[in-house]
Amino acid sequence: SNKTVANKPQQKTYTNQDVIDCWNNAEKTGEDTYLKDKHLPAPPIARFGKNPKGYHATMIPLTDIKGNFRGVISLNAKNKTKYIYKANEDENLPCFTQLGTLDYQTQEMYIGEGIATVQTPWEATDRQIPGVSAGTWSNILPALKSIKQEHPQIKPIVLIDLDNDGNGLKAARQIQEVFPDATFRAPNFKGLKNKSSEKLKDFNDL
């Protein structure tokens, strides 16, 4: 299962500059197994290199609404873990991963938790509808507030993660209270054969 660490990872401390350097030193092409195992190509924004902990990883940038670099989501190819490394002083500043363009002409967008969850419908719609990955369920609403403040015309399509602890539905209810123009989608696994024992819970599992 994926492990998300919002603060410092164990056994290694790092500075904001360490995160920035890892991103700047990473290559635009490289070996990826994390997204490949999820039957997805690495998105155009991905880079490949050593993360702040020193492991080879696929790195996805986190930016704020102005497009400023704020950190990376590190997808560790070896043990399939996911770490979030922040590179900003203001921990309350909403940041997220953006697939496609958000501007004043954008009418709708996908938003959800993990990068694979959001990338799946983005690819399925030929990248015509932009997607936003908040990284964690608790960041979906803050990220959406930031986006809607800048682009109030965008109607969010919320991708619900059917996780066992119910946080996916909790995030959806939070958004429904604040943004009545949001629509919601949940994956439907009815009639699909599951060849593994893994619990099906998000759009990437389709």
Side-chain angles (χ1 to χ4, degrees), residues 12-96:
K12 165 89 177 184
T13 59
Y14 63 92
T15 65
N16 291 343
Q17 191 60 48
D18 290 335
V19 179
I20 294 169
D21 289 344
C22 281
W23 178 251
N24 289 337
N25 292 333
E27 302 289 338
K28 292 185 178 180
T29 58
E31 181 185 0
D32 164 78
T33 61
Y34 186 97
L35 291 167
K36 183 180 179 182
D37 283 352
K38 293 180 176 290
H39 307 286
L40 289 167
I45 57 173
R47 292 188 187 180
F48 308 89
K50 289 187 177 181
N51 65 17
K53 209 172 179 181
Y55 295 108
H56 176 78
T58 300
M59 286 183 276
I60 309 292
L62 291 166
T63 60
D64 59 27
I65 190 60
K66 300 295 185 182
N68 300 311
F69 176 81
R70 296 295 179 182
V72 296
I73 297 176
S74 170
L75 307 174
N76 191 328
K78 188 174 182 180
N79 56 7
K80 305 297 182 293
T81 53
K82 177 177 70 176
Y83 290 98
I84 297 177
Y85 296 92
K86 293 286 188 70
N88 58 282
E89 299 294 343
D90 184 2
E91 289 296 324
N92 295 318
L93 181 69
C95 55
F96 47 85

Side-chain angles (χ1 to χ4, degrees), residues 148-206:
K148 288 285 278 184
Q149 187 172 5
E150 188 79 10
H151 305 298
Q153 85 286 355
I154 297 179
K155 289 181 167 56
I157 303 169
V158 181
L159 305 173
I160 300 175
D161 192 329
L162 302 176
D163 45 6
N164 289 330
D165 54 17
N167 284 334
L169 289 172
K170 184 177 179 180
R173 293 189 184 100
Q174 290 175 346
I175 293 166
Q176 191 173 36
E177 290 180 5
V178 180
F179 297 109
D181 64 339
T183 58
F184 300 86
R185 303 285 186 272
N188 184 351
F189 303 107
K190 187 176 180 180
L192 298 179
K193 293 181 179 180
N194 183 11
K195 294 182 179 179
S196 70
S197 59
E198 187 176 352
K199 177 68 175 175
L200 303 177
K201 62 181 184 177
D202 62 39
F203 276 87
N204 183 251
D205 292 329
L206 289 171

